[in-house]
Each structure stands twice: as structure tokens, then as C-alpha cells.
Amino acid sequence: MPRTVPTAPLTVATVQATPTPGDVAGNAVRAADLIRQAGELGARVAVLPELFLCAYHPPALAADPAGTDVAADAAGVVADSRLDPLRAAAREAGVTALVGAAARHPDGRRTIAALVVDRAGAVRVGYDKQQLWGDERELFSAGGRGATLLVDDWRLALGICYDGCFPEHGRAAALDGAHGYLCPSGYLAGSEHRRDLYYAARALDNTMFVVFSNAVGGVDPWRFNGGAAIYDPQGRVLARGADDGTAVLVATLDPAVLAATRAAHSMLADRLPDQGGPRMSMSG
């Protein structure tokens, strides 16, 4: 596992916003505006919610897969002209953006993807969600591997929503040398307790920054609860949105904080390679 820390701070933005179900072109325009707002606030990286380009709305996704998907080539590159506003915004703002989408791969797989829009305006599938939740399995295939986004000398691991509910997912990222964990998500109203617990826990478990983005608004049963947040490596809140309303929230990730936290809380270094032999059972 790489033990280095970055040499300079990195300002990041997390976004909560309401997309329109099925309207990829319109949501791309909205996403472009949010990316520009993030850039105006000094962010170099912006994270938008899960499936933002098509909206997390299973009826719309099931009714029009061709219209709600974006096609990727064998290298993961997405050439869809509907995403031109994203390309322009990333170039103009100097922001690397992570934007949720339904991706169609050349082998026919449909995945819940995190698209990476880089500062040159190129768009590619950065990561496919590995842990599918509930009825997502009826519409999507699971991704098969983790991924890390390299921005300057920061290693930013990628996860999507339910991935972050599994300690092993964040731990795999940390053991690969991640300094941060970017998690576009879609948490429904009523899940506030879990929303606020999981990602703080992943930060503290792994002494890494966590950037959690979430959808907001919509109509029941697909109404989302905002609360986008950025956590420090002890799981403390650096920025958090309300449970409703659009927001672009910014915080600066400080490598000195990362180094100090890992020196004081050495779970990654102290982690046993295994937990011993067969467990002992006893009567009480």
C-alpha cells in the first residue's frame, strides 16, 4: 500500500440536486451549471449524485433504456453528444467532475456508472457500481472491480451509494493507497440516520476523506433526502447540506490533516493480515 500523502491541499465540491427522470440532455445542462458553480467556489473536483444524468427513477429507466443510457466504447469512452455541456463546463471551470449515469457497454451490460469528465472535457466510465441494491439487479449488472481517480497527487477511490455500506469496499480502497473516497449516491427520504452514519464510518475506519453526494427532492416513492457531505479522516463533518434544496458544498482536503490522523490512529498500519485461526466458542 502506498504510504505517501499528497503534497498540496485539494478543494472538492459535493452536490445535491434534483434531476428530471429520463431527460439526459436536460440533466446534462443542469449538471454543467453545477460544475461551473463548483469551479467558481474554488473546487478542482466535483461529485454529483448517483444516476444524475437519467435520474434514479426505475420506472423511467425500465421504460426507455435506449434513451436513458449513455453508450461507452471498449475503452470506456463516452461520445454521446448530449454530454457536450458537461465537456464544456469541465474545460471552462478547470474541474474534474464525477457524474452518475446509466452506462451501456459494448458487451450489452448496463451498469450504474460514475462518469469521469476530466479537465480537458473527455468523458469516460470511471467506475461501475459493484454492490447493487434491491431491485437494481433487475435493471443493471454489477461492476467487477474497484477504481481510483488520480487528481494531481491525490488518490481518490470511487464508490457508488450501496458500495459505501460495506466496510470492505472502503477498506480495499484504503489498502490501495486512497487518500479520499468519492461516493455519488441516491438515498431515499427516511434513510437519514444511515446516510449520515455509513460515510462518516468509512472515513474513520480508513482514515481517509470521504465526499458523499446525494440526490434531493422528487416524488414518492422516489423522493431523495439530500444531506450531501464531506468528512475528514476522523469522520467529522467539514460540510453538509440540508435534507432539501439544491446545494454545492465545498471543503479543502488538507494533506497535513491526513498525515496527522494516520499517525495518531494507525488502524491501517496495525491491521492484522488475518484474524487468527478457528474462533473459540464458550458457554456463559
Side-chain angles (χ1 to χ4, degrees):
M1 179 185 73
R3 297 289 183 181
T4 58
V5 298
T7 57
L10 178 71
T11 300
V12 300
T14 185
V15 173
Q16 59 184 57
T18 309
T20 300
D23 185 9
V24 172
N27 293 330
V29 171
R30 178 68 172 134
D33 179 61
L34 294 163
I35 291 166
R36 288 190 177 92
Q37 290 181 46
E40 290 167 359
L41 293 170
R44 297 282 281 162
V45 174
V47 183
L48 277 70
E50 180 180 18
L51 290 174
F52 188 82
L53 287 177
C54 51
Y56 194 116
H57 190 271
L61 294 168
D64 184 18
T68 53
D69 293 357
V70 297
D73 68 14
V77 175
V78 177
D80 194 315
S81 63
R82 293 175 296 178
L83 307 192
D84 286 349
L86 293 180
R87 297 181 177 90
R91 286 194 301 267
E92 294 163 12
V95 170
T96 298
L98 202 65
V99 184
R104 182 70 63 176
H105 296 265
D107 60 6
R109 288 179 305 121
R110 189 190 198 193
T111 61
I112 297 176
L115 303 185
V116 174
V117 189
D118 69 24
R119 297 169 191 170
V123 181
R124 65 188 185 280
V125 174
Y127 171 71
D128 294 316
K129 186 176 185 178
Q130 292 177 279
Q131 293 284 351
L132 298 180
W133 175 75
D135 292 345
E136 290 173 359
R137 298 177 184 91
E138 298 178 7
L139 295 172
F140 297 102
S141 298
R145 62 183 178 184
T148 298
L149 175 64
L150 307 178
V151 178
D152 302 330
D153 56 354
W154 285 81
R155 296 178 61 84
L156 303 172
L158 307 183
I160 299 175
C161 199
Y162 196 39
D163 287 326
C165 303
F166 294 83
E168 300 86 352
H169 195 271
R171 178 55 52 86
L175 293 178
D176 187 52
H179 307 120
Y181 187 47
L182 310 183
C183 293
S185 299
Y187 271 74
L188 294 166
S191 65
E192 291 79 9
H193 169 69
R194 293 184 295 106
R195 176 199 70 188
D196 295 341
L197 181 58
Y198 282 135
Y199 303 92
R202 296 296 80 78
L204 178 57
D205 286 344
N206 300 295
T207 55
M208 63 185 177
F209 292 97
V210 171
V211 183
F212 165 77
S213 175
N214 195 24
V216 69
V219 177
D220 288 328
W222 307 109
R223 182 167 60 88
F224 298 88
N225 61 11
I230 302 170
Y231 298 96
D232 80 359
Q234 291 194 56
R236 296 176 296 204
V237 174
L238 298 176
R240 172 172 284 153
D243 290 349
D244 53 25
T246 301
V248 178
L249 305 151
V250 170
T252 297
L253 313 187
D254 187 343
V257 170
L258 182 68
T261 302
R262 289 185 170 180
H265 305 284
S266 54
M267 290 89 76
L268 293 178
D270 296 340
R271 173 181 173 271
L272 298 173
D274 59 56
Q275 299 302 310
R279 298 180 69 87
M280 180 177 69
S281 298
M282 65 196 80
S283 300

